[in-house]
Amino acid sequence: MSARDEGTRTAGDGAVPVLSAEGLTVRFGEKTALSDVSIEIPRGSTVSIIGPAGSGKTTLLRSFNRMNEVIPGSSQAGTIRFAGGDLHSAAMDPAEVRRRIGMVFEDAALFPGSVFDNLAFGLQARGEEGDLHGIAEVALQAVGLWSEDAEILEARASDLSAEERRRMCIARTLALEPDVLLVDEPTSTLDPAAAARVESLIHALRDDYTIVFATCDHTQAGRLSDLTAYLDSGRLLEYGPTQTLFTNPRNPRTEFYLTGRLQ
Amino acid sequence: MTAFRSSAGAPPTDPRERLMGGLLLGCTALAAAAAAAVIGALGLETVRFFADVPLSQFLADLAWTPSAEEPGFGILPLLAGTAQIAGGATVMALPVALVLAVFLEFYAGKRTASVMNAAVAALGSVPAVVYGYFALNFVTPALKGVWPGLEAFNGISACLVVGLMILPTIVVLSREALGAVPRSILRQAVALGATRERAVLRLALPAAWLGVLGSVVLAMTRAVGETMIVTLAAGNPTGVSWNPLEGVRTLTSFLAQASMGDLAPGSIEYGACFAVAAVLLLLTFGMHALGRALVSRGHPDGPGGSRS
């Protein structure tokens, strides 16, 4: 941690950051999606990113596993460090980065075929030669989709319910045993009961993973996260312990957002 | 759509609207009448032909020589020729077209894609007779350098050039099928540590395969109906040969040749042309319907799709 700490960019507690961004600016063509964002994600913490639509929440998540660079016309300034190394250094294989920093997107993108095919895809891409069924079983158990008869493996992914799809997408990422889990809008498009169940799944995963998630629902951020970052028009306006940020926001815009008065 | 239908259900009161409705109905009726006339004329002569030549002979004879002393009325030789040309052309066009479609859809930059698209579209707008001359006067002499035994009229030259002609159909329609694969799937694949090549080969192509198959069937339909190139490049031999270095006679090239001669209406040769034309129509109509069905089923929004 740097000495010129401004409070907005660190979590305090002296925890070791597993991921950190320094002066991160991301542009898509002429449009600036993120502007000079500096943030540290302590290992083992759960961090929520909140903010109005279009504030750069997804872009920030995607920059953590180098998914912005696959978009034509994107450009980036600043540095991101992962486990002490520069995320964009030549020594970092982007595919390896994406396995270690797994991301679950907002829309459940199903691969054609069975649930097993979906889980095996990333493992096969890694060149995994071990017991794919065993790995899939562990991952499905972790998201509560496993049953003794193993029938789920043969189910067509497109036959799953919205909630099951979301769980399967999380399992697909967990199968690669990532260090960090990025989740974009974990419960959007789910009905309230399913949303509550998926939320408790995320809650259970907090013990095993460093989690960064973006959400439009700031009450969800309050329930799930240790730290909350408030993004506004691509700028990180406030970052700190969730409880502090919710009860005593320093930036008036944060307060406006949280109380629904943001113009 | 529903709103449009329900409003169209009530009879319009505005006289201009009624006039417009009448005009549209008239145009539709005209088109339907034209189609009915073609099918009717074809059907009538075909039925007359089959009064003289039994269907069993038509399907089982191994020679198509309607003007010979001992005429043969077997459709199989012509079908075999058509299958050779359409199959050969597809085999030549498919690999190139598929690589092009994948490249244009997933790899080419905007400028490259638009230039190559224009080039592919240009291939599709060349008149068939120009292709035919190209086959006869450029491709065949060039191939003769490789196979000195090549006949002046041969199947391989026709296959190559028909393949060139149907290439745009496969490229454009396969690209559409690939483009309809949700981008979120490919993005998710990359996010799981897959290379783009893996995402394209393992996910996009399998997801689009029905549409690709449909594009191939539609391209083959064009090849089956192609007349000018085959007539000019493959000649019109009466025998059946599976040797691509020799000439080939297809349904279409027979029709082109026969209609240039003077056949007496009512003669059996005259009827034979209609029977061949009927077979050609059935074949292309069926293939076209199949191709269209595959293309629309292959689309993720279609009934066979897997939209997530």
Side-chain angles (χ1 to χ4, degrees):
Chain A
M1 258 176 236
S2 80
R4 50 177 189 85
D5 217 304
E6 296 146 345
T8 57
R9 47 187 290 267
T10 53
D13 305 349
V16 190
V18 60
L19 262 177
S20 62
E22 180 80 42
L24 179 66
T25 296
V26 177
R27 289 192 187 85
F28 299 114
E30 297 293 297
K31 190 175 164 286
T32 302
L34 284 179
S35 182
D36 195 23
V37 169
S38 297
I39 187 170
E40 289 182 345
I41 312 292
R43 186 176 289 282
S45 64
T46 299
V47 176
S48 61
I49 304 168
I50 60 171
S55 57
K57 301 189 292 292
T58 301
T59 303
L60 181 55
L61 281 184
R62 291 174 61 125
S63 57
F64 283 141
N65 71 342
R66 295 184 59 171
M67 282 302 289
N68 285 325
E69 65 200 64
V70 301
I71 298 174
S74 69
S75 63
Q76 184 179 316
T79 52
I80 300 174
R81 300 185 74 78
F82 170 56
D86 186 338
L87 199 69
H88 290 85
S89 73
M92 289 267 189
D93 172 17
E96 185 58 23
V97 164
R98 292 169 193 143
R99 286 181 201 117
R100 292 181 64 188
I101 308 173
M103 177 154 182
V104 181
F105 290 90
E106 180 176 3
D107 50 346
L110 307 180
F111 300 153
S114 67
V115 170
F116 174 74
D117 294 335
N118 270 268
L119 268 83
F121 183 86
L123 297 165
Q124 286 162 340
R126 184 171 75 182
E128 179 67 51
E129 284 167 359
D131 175 17
L132 295 182
H133 273 93
I135 300 174
E137 178 179 340
V138 171
L140 288 168
Q141 273 169 349
V143 300
L145 267 186
W146 186 255
S147 57
E148 278 312 306
D149 52 15
E151 213 175 314
I152 184 75
L153 287 175
E154 303 312 317
R156 273 172 58 100
S158 52
D159 289 341
L160 299 182
S161 72
E163 179 188 349
E164 290 168 330
R165 289 175 181 199
R166 191 61 59 97
R167 287 175 187 268
M168 187 199 75
C169 287
I170 295 171
R172 195 164 57 181
T173 301
L174 293 184
L176 297 168
E177 295 169 344
D179 299 331
V180 180
L181 192 56
L182 310 173
V183 191
D184 196 6
E185 301 288 356
T187 59
S188 67
T189 71
L190 295 178
D191 68 69
R197 287 191 295 269
V198 169
E199 195 177 296
S200 38
L201 166 63
I202 303 282
H203 198 273
L205 292 172
R206 285 163 40 116
D207 296 338
D208 299 319
Y209 299 93
T210 305
I211 299 176
V212 185
F213 68 98
T215 182
C216 294
D217 174 4
H218 57 262
T219 63
Q220 181 171 63
R223 290 188 296 271
L224 282 180
S225 63
D226 308 314
L227 297 162
T228 297
Y230 175 64
L231 275 181
D232 193 321
S233 308
R235 295 181 178 279
L236 180 64
L237 291 191
E238 192 157 353
Y239 180 43
T242 300
Q243 202 168 354
T244 316
L245 186 136
F246 273 67
T247 53
N248 194 12
R250 278 191 310 270
N251 193 305
R253 282 188 71 84
T254 313
E255 190 179 344
F256 287 161
Y257 176 72
L258 291 172
T259 52
R261 285 181 291 151
L262 196 65
Q263 294 302 307
Chain B
M1 254 339 231
T2 353
F4 177 75
R5 248 186 236 142
S6 63
S7 79
T13 44
D14 187 335
R16 277 172 307 179
E17 214 176 305
R18 286 166 76 171
L19 179 69
M20 204 58 213
L23 269 174
L24 289 173
L25 191 69
C27 290
T28 314
L30 199 66
V38 169
I39 293 170
L42 205 60
L44 200 68
E45 292 295 339
T46 306
V47 168
R48 273 194 201 145
F49 170 77
F50 281 118
D52 296 332
V53 176
L55 187 64
S56 57
Q57 192 189 346
F58 186 69
L59 294 178
D61 255 14
L62 292 180
W64 179 262
T65 47
S67 313
E69 290 281 317
E70 294 241 329
F73 290 108
I75 191 75
L76 286 177
L78 296 184
L79 280 176
T82 291
Q84 279 183 65
I85 296 291
T90 306
V91 165
M92 302 210 188
L94 182 60
V96 181
L98 213 50
V99 169
L100 259 175
V102 166
F103 175 75
L104 285 173
E105 188 58 33
F106 297 116
Y107 293 93
K110 269 198 185 120
R111 204 165 302 158
T112 319
S114 72
V115 169
M116 291 184 70
N117 256 338
V120 169
L123 275 184
S125 61
V126 174
V129 66
V130 176
Y131 272 129
Y133 267 87
F134 176 66
L136 185 64
N137 298 325
F138 290 89
V139 178
T140 297
L143 288 176
K144 263 206 167 129
V146 186
W147 295 290
L150 191 71
E151 292 182 5
F153 296 113
N154 62 82
I156 190 152
S157 171
C159 281
L160 270 171
V161 177
V162 172
L164 200 61
M165 186 201 73
I166 63 174
L167 187 88
T169 305
I170 307 184
V171 173
V172 170
L173 291 175
S174 291
R175 196 183 161 192
E176 235 167 66
L178 290 169
V181 175
R183 281 297 188 274
S184 59
I185 289 183
L186 303 179
R187 187 186 57 189
Q188 180 67 65
V190 170
L192 288 169
T195 57
R196 196 155 59 147
E197 288 65 41
R198 194 179 185 88
V200 167
L201 291 177
R202 295 293 185 93
L203 295 174
L205 272 176
W209 82 275
L210 272 180
V212 171
L213 192 66
S215 81
V216 171
V217 172
L218 287 175
M220 283 184 91
T221 312
R222 286 198 67 188
V224 165
E226 173 44 43
T227 308
M228 213 53 189
I229 300 172
V230 185
T231 308
L232 285 173
N236 220 326
T238 46
V240 182
S241 163
W242 293 95
N243 183 349
L245 304 183
E246 295 173 6
V248 180
R249 181 190 228 180
T250 64
L251 295 164
T252 52
S253 64
F254 162 74
L255 283 175
Q257 178 236 24
S259 56
M260 281 188 282
D262 40 355
L263 295 171
S267 71
I268 193 150
E269 293 104 310
Y270 182 79
C273 286
F274 281 91
V276 170
V279 169
L280 181 65
L281 183 72
L282 281 178
L283 197 61
T284 51
F285 187 78
M287 286 174 70
H288 186 81
L290 175 68
R292 275 281 143 219
L294 285 170
V295 164
S296 67
R297 263 188 80 84
H299 199 275
D301 288 331
S306 56
R307 172 72 91 205
S308 53

